[in-house]
Amino acid sequence: MMVLAQIVLAQSLLEPDLGLIVWIGITFLAFLFVLKKFAWGPITEALTTREQNISDSLEQAEKALTEARQLQADNTKARREAEAQAQGVLREAREEAERIRTVEVDKTRSQIQQMQDTAQSEIEREKQSALNSLRQEVADLAISAAEKILRENLDADRQKKIVSDFLKDLPKN
Amino acid sequence: MIKRASIFVLLAQLTLLALPRGVAASSDDQEKFDALHHSANAYYLDIAPLDPIELPRIFIVRYEDGSYGLNLFRSTSSAILNGHYVSEIDAGHGGEVQGDDHEVEGDTHAETQGGITGEITGELIGEITTAQLEGHLVPPGGSHVVLDLSISRHLFFAWLAMGIVLLIMTRLAGMYKKGIGRETAPRGLFQNMFEGMVVFIRDDIVKPNLGDKTDKYLPYLLTAFFFILTANLLGLVPFGATATSNLMVTVVLASFTFVFTQLGGTKTYWMHIFWPPGIPTFVKPILMPVEVLGILTKPVALAIRLFANMTAGHLVILSLIGLIFSFTNIFGSGAGYGVAPVSVAFALFIYFLELLVSFIQAYVFTMLSALFIGMAIQEHEAHDDAHQEQQIEASASPEAEPVFAN
């Protein structure tokens, strides 16, 4: 152990060397300042800038994505609403048409009814008037026949003949 | 720590086994191999088989008359030949270099030129010997060195690591300045790889520990991580050296963490140290020195952990290679050839392990620094249990946090 220590010490591995300490101390300090100014400064600054850029871009992309999703959702919602509205309109139109049709049918029916009624009453009236005029005619005929009978009241044959003639003279209808 | 220290001792023992006296002192064959020596600091770049490249020597000297001066030399040779410095061979080095190596022809020449005292050994390289190159330089006359600011191998590789990191990171910053990776996606292997590391440190190491104070300490922690990683990896490159296997370098790094920790310390932090809440008053004076010691042990542990880890791997690799030389010396060259494949295979395995350790240690240093600073800057008044709960929450919640939150 002692021999070992002696050899290690002897070989200037552990020998104090103030000159070297001074040199390394000064040059390392200078080295540190030069590197800080010309290397680490620009490098770390650039890295920070780039990282900032990247994180900003990511954030923006995230925001854009959210906006796009929102937009899509809005669009879908609007389309659904429009569809629903269109369906509503269609249904209303159908109902309206149905209503109008019903009304028209009713109206027509009542018109027809009215027309029928009118026709009926016309017919009735015509019939009445025809009956009246027929009665008149029959009465007149009866009177004139009676008159003729009365005038030719001489013989029965003759009367018969007269009546049958008369009947022959009657119009067929 | 005890465990780590014991591992270190074990590795050093392995080194001893690998380098029995026969090798260390082997005089006349060239199969001299010394793992510790290779890991140690020196004032030249080893580019064997070429001659070493000597590094500049800078000394602040106090002359005999009491005045101070700055002595600059292009190399160790220059200091010896022109500056009349004397290379003293340390007693410690003696074990290896003071042996009866070849007496060099240039010996007398060097002595007259450079005033070298003592026994000069080693191979002649240029105008001085390897032993002189390894030796401790002492100025001539009665003057002595106040501060040795010489550029050493580890300093050179620390600067190389700084240069590489600077080059890579300014290029990376340039890409961001042009807008690539700022407005657009990052492009290419280079940017993606380093951005990944930077972001990992920021989001997985610093942010969980420091929260909203991240920006303040991030530059230091990033710098520490990349410097340590690069320095570690440079040690795995051929002809490279590991600056982080030098205790001085790791001590400076740990000191930075220490300073940042103390400067960032909040009232709560100091309160916990000097008057810990929630315990009986008579215990507080006992706990205080313990807490103060705790401030110091954290950076010390940081420094030693990094140093020991980076040294240990290299020692193991070098010792495994050293086995070849040991076997050759003890049992003959046949055994040397026999053990070589095994040694190389093991060394390769350790090499890959070291590659992993390089990353792990850079991570660990950064993580612990962030943790220590984070503990010091916590604002709220709460009991220790609450601290722990908070930390568990903090460590459990990163998934829950938005990734891009800033």
Side-chain angles (χ1 to χ4, degrees), chain B residues 55-346:
Chain B
L55 293 167
R57 304 301 299 260
I58 303 159
F59 301 101
I60 293 173
V61 185
R62 188 169 187 274
Y63 294 117
E64 213 171 352
D65 57 2
S67 61
Y68 290 89
L70 184 70
N71 285 1
L72 284 159
F73 299 102
R74 195 172 41 77
S75 63
T76 308
S77 317
S78 170
I80 292 171
L81 299 172
N82 306 326
H84 304 295
Y85 272 69
V86 176
S87 180
E88 272 185 3
I89 291 130
D90 296 345
H93 275 110
E96 283 76 34
V97 293
Q98 224 173 35
D100 304 309
D101 274 358
H102 341 260
E103 284 287 329
V104 176
E105 302 295 324
D107 184 358
T108 43
H109 167 72
E111 195 167 346
T112 48
Q113 286 275 314
I116 296 142
T117 57
E119 209 175 356
I120 304 306
T121 56
E123 288 171 64
L124 188 69
I125 41 144
E127 286 171 276
I128 61 163
T129 64
T130 47
Q132 276 178 294
L133 193 56
E134 302 287 350
H136 182 70
L137 286 192
V138 177
S143 46
H144 67 272
V145 173
V146 181
L147 190 60
D148 183 356
L149 287 175
S150 301
I151 314 300
S152 63
R153 189 198 293 162
H154 285 158
L155 181 57
F156 176 84
F157 277 97
W159 284 351
L160 190 62
M162 288 181 191
I164 290 169
V165 174
L166 212 59
L167 210 69
I168 289 172
M169 290 306 158
T170 45
R171 218 189 118 197
L172 188 65
M175 292 185 83
Y176 286 110
K177 276 181 189 157
K178 267 187 267 167
I180 305 164
R182 180 200 287 271
E183 277 89 25
T184 66
R187 200 166 62 204
L189 180 68
F190 175 79
Q191 196 179 14
N192 276 303
M193 187 167 81
F194 287 104
E195 187 194 291
M197 289 162 94
V198 171
V199 171
F200 171 74
I201 292 163
R202 190 192 61 179
D203 292 347
D204 290 346
I205 301 179
V206 185
K207 207 166 267 178
N209 289 308
L210 293 172
D212 53 359
K213 289 270 177 63
T214 296
D215 288 347
K216 194 175 168 190
Y217 296 101
L218 187 62
Y220 165 63
L221 293 165
L222 281 171
T223 309
F225 177 83
F226 283 104
F227 171 69
I228 293 169
L229 179 63
T230 316
N232 290 351
L233 291 175
L234 276 178
L236 299 176
V237 171
F239 306 116
T242 328
T244 40
S245 72
N246 190 305
L247 191 57
M248 304 306 123
V249 176
T250 60
V251 159
V252 172
L253 288 169
S255 308
F256 272 93
T257 298
F258 175 75
V259 170
F260 276 116
T261 309
Q262 308 322 318
L263 287 184
T266 55
K267 208 178 133 195
T268 323
Y269 171 69
W270 294 111
M271 183 86 164
H272 271 264
I273 288 159
F274 291 112
W275 207 248
I279 50 162
T281 315
F282 71 92
V283 187
K284 289 183 181 186
I286 305 168
L287 266 186
M288 205 181 78
V290 176
E291 291 282 351
V292 172
L293 212 62
I295 301 178
L296 297 171
T297 50
K298 284 171 192 165
V300 168
L302 271 185
I304 293 177
R305 178 183 296 111
L306 183 56
F307 155 73
N309 270 291
M310 295 326 295
T311 309
H314 285 68
L315 288 184
V316 173
I317 288 184
L318 291 163
S319 303
L320 285 167
I321 300 295
L323 276 178
I324 303 169
F325 296 90
S326 304
F327 271 70
T328 309
N329 280 313
I330 299 165
F331 304 112
S333 59
Y337 280 113
V339 83
V342 183
S343 276
V344 170
F346 271 101

Side-chain angles (χ1 to χ4, degrees), chain A residues 36 39-51, chain B residues 176 198 202 215 218-219 222 406:
Chain A
K36 188 180 174 180
W40 307 136
I43 290 172
T44 48
E45 192 266 337
L47 288 177
T48 313
T49 311
R50 193 179 77 203
E51 282 159 8
Chain B
Y176 286 110
V198 171
R202 190 192 61 179
D215 288 347
L218 187 62
L222 281 171
N406 271 297

Side-chain angles (χ1 to χ4, degrees), chain B residues 378-402:
Chain B
Q378 267 177 357
E379 284 286 355
H380 58 93
E381 295 265 345
H383 202 254
D384 274 341
D385 295 353
H387 281 281
Q388 280 177 356
E389 274 173 22
Q390 262 250 331
Q391 283 193 344
I392 289 160
E393 267 178 31
S395 59
S397 65
E399 291 88 350
E401 281 179 345

Side-chain angles (χ1 to χ4, degrees), chain B residues 18-63:
Chain B
L19 298 167
R21 217 156 280 283
V23 192
S26 75
S27 46
D28 47 21
D29 54 12
Q30 290 174 358
E31 285 146 4
K32 202 164 76 113
F33 195 85
D34 178 358
L36 280 171
H37 174 242
H38 277 264
S39 301
N41 205 355
Y43 296 101
Y44 60 88
L45 304 181
D46 194 354
I47 50 162
L50 299 175
D51 278 352
I53 299 169
E54 293 181 44
L55 293 167
R57 304 301 299 260
I58 303 159
F59 301 101
I60 293 173
V61 185
R62 188 169 187 274
Y63 294 117

Side-chain angles (χ1 to χ4, degrees), chain A residues 3-21:
Chain A
V3 178
L4 178 76
Q6 271 173 6
I7 284 178
V8 170
L9 281 171
Q11 295 289 347
S12 82
L13 278 183
L14 301 172
E15 191 180 287
D17 184 348
L18 195 61
L20 186 56
I21 291 183

